[in-house]
Amino acid sequence: MIGRQRQPHAGGVTLIELLISMTIGLLVLAAIVHALTLSSRYLRRAEALALMQEQADVAMRYLYDDLTLSGHWGVAGRSENISGGARSSNDNPDGLALPTRCTPRFVTELQQPVMAFENPSPWGCSLEAVAGADALVTRYAQPALVDPQPGRLQVEVTPGAGRLTASGVPGAAALQQRHDYRVAGYYVAARSNLFPEQPVLRRITLGAGTAGPRFVDEEITQGIETLQVRIAADSNGDGVPDAMLDAGDPRLQLRATDGGHRYQAMAVTVSIIVRSAEPNWPNETSAAFELADLHWQPPADGYLRASASRTAMLRNAPR
């Protein structure tokens, strides 16, 4: 009797073929998962960098706007024409009602519309400041004309003359114009009120109060790890910058014999380092930063970092 031979099924597969198919499928799935993981990581990184860029833009806009107006005194022209400014022997010669939180010269040093310090600043009013970060002060009369307001420090001006006042009572001079007086002090605090794990750029400004002028200390934007300031200054009065001075340079404090400052700020470059909100990037190391007199290699702490700089010409600087 002849035995029946078994014929392979026309649509069947062997075990080996099945295992090969499953292995290929797993490899393809693993590749897809890996690609999705990388894509998600790159997306999160792009979102973190976009947020950092937004924070840098906000910081630069605030700094730039105050810098471009610094030294504006309306029709009075120059700060030397305005009474109430600090003198070598008296920080408050007109006996103005000033806030007690900061030193008087923080408000009345009109002859220096821009000042830059290495922290800790000498204001006596900033919060916990980041070591190594600079501090910046700008002063000017805001361009808009305003009515007298009690409790707010204002500048009353006539052509070639003016005075600081907080009384809200108009002066007697004819053709008098009035501007709100603006002081803005920028510094970097070690932690934000809203996000305690983040450093923050803060600003101290003059405001109005029922008992007289008062300071308002506000957060500008989180994630700003340092502020660096460099000033292009004119040392001989020809209107051309001939010295680059870093914050805290003693030459910025020198006075000429006529009462003006020997080194006149003509342009200011502000630089910042912005840090990501979360330390989720342990495999990325930031390059060293070279900003003004800062030479810094960030720690390998998992944060992303980037820098931004902008230069503002002081259009109200004496020419």
Side-chain angles (χ1 to χ4, degrees):
M1 182 177 178
I2 301 174
R4 181 184 299 174
Q5 293 183 352
R6 185 176 180 180
Q7 300 293 326
H9 191 276
V13 295
T14 66
L15 179 59
I16 293 176
E17 290 173 330
L18 180 60
L19 291 174
I20 292 174
S21 298
M22 291 177 63
T23 301
I24 293 174
L26 290 174
L27 291 173
V28 171
L29 179 60
I32 293 173
V33 171
H34 181 66
L36 290 175
T37 301
L38 288 178
S39 177
S40 175
R41 180 176 175 82
Y42 286 137
L43 178 59
R44 289 187 293 108
R45 186 178 188 277
E47 290 176 344
L49 290 173
L51 178 58
M52 291 164 61
Q53 182 64 57
E54 181 179 338
Q55 292 169 316
D57 289 344
V58 170
M60 286 298 178
R61 183 170 67 250
Y62 276 87
L63 289 161
Y64 184 81
D65 288 350
D66 274 325
L67 281 169
T68 54
L69 285 171
S70 62
H72 172 262
W73 304 113
V75 296
R78 302 184 59 150
S79 59
E80 292 87 343
N81 301 328
I82 299 174
S83 68
R87 300 293 182 260
S88 58
S89 59
N90 192 341
D91 289 347
N92 188 7
D94 286 3
L96 299 169
L98 300 178
T100 58
R101 181 181 169 196
C102 297
T103 59
R105 194 170 287 268
F106 178 76
V107 178
T108 59
E109 184 62 273
L110 303 184
Q111 291 190 34
Q112 284 189 298
V114 173
M115 300 179 75
F117 307 97
E118 291 181 307
N119 271 337
S121 74
W123 310 340
C125 54
S126 57
L127 299 179
E128 180 187 357
V130 171
D134 294 341
L136 176 72
V137 183
T138 64
R139 302 181 180 88
Y140 57 89
Q142 293 184 305
L145 298 180
V146 296
D147 293 327
Q149 181 181 353
R152 179 180 292 279
L153 205 58
Q154 296 179 311
V155 184
E156 291 183 340
V157 294
T158 57
R163 68 165 185 158
L164 287 179
T165 177
S167 67
V169 179
L175 302 177
Q176 197 165 60
Q177 297 179 345
R178 188 172 296 99
H179 307 263
D180 285 337
Y181 177 48
R182 169 81 168 180
V183 179
Y186 291 89
Y187 69 99
V188 177
R191 54 187 52 84
S192 163
N193 292 335
L194 300 176
F195 306 96
E197 72 282 0
Q198 294 190 46
V200 61
L201 179 67
R202 299 187 66 93
R203 180 179 66 179
I204 302 172
T205 55
L206 270 175
T210 55
R214 66 186 184 92
F215 283 119
V216 178
D217 194 335
E218 58 186 339
E219 294 192 3
I220 301 301
T221 186
Q222 295 81 31
I224 307 303
E225 201 162 33
T226 191
L227 168 67
Q228 296 294 309
V229 182
R230 175 164 284 176
I231 295 176
D234 168 27
S235 66
N236 56 18
D238 63 358
V240 178
D242 51 31
M244 296 298 295
L245 307 179
D246 294 315
D249 193 305
R251 289 173 291 179
L252 290 171
Q253 315 302 324
L254 295 177
R255 290 178 176 274
T257 55
D258 61 356
H261 281 80
R262 188 178 302 279
Y263 284 81
Q264 176 66 48
M266 307 297 292
V268 178
T269 298
V270 286
S271 303
I272 59 173
I273 294 176
V274 58
R275 193 183 79 182
S276 61
E278 301 291 342
N280 297 330
W281 315 97
N283 297 323
E284 300 197 30
T285 303
S286 299
F289 289 96
E290 306 286 337
L291 305 175
D293 60 347
L294 175 69
H295 309 282
W296 182 55
Q297 176 63 58
D301 55 6
Y303 285 99
L304 294 175
R305 290 177 172 87
S307 63
S309 297
R310 189 168 185 182
T311 297
M313 301 299 296
L314 305 186
R315 60 192 185 194
N316 300 300
R319 295 295 192 268

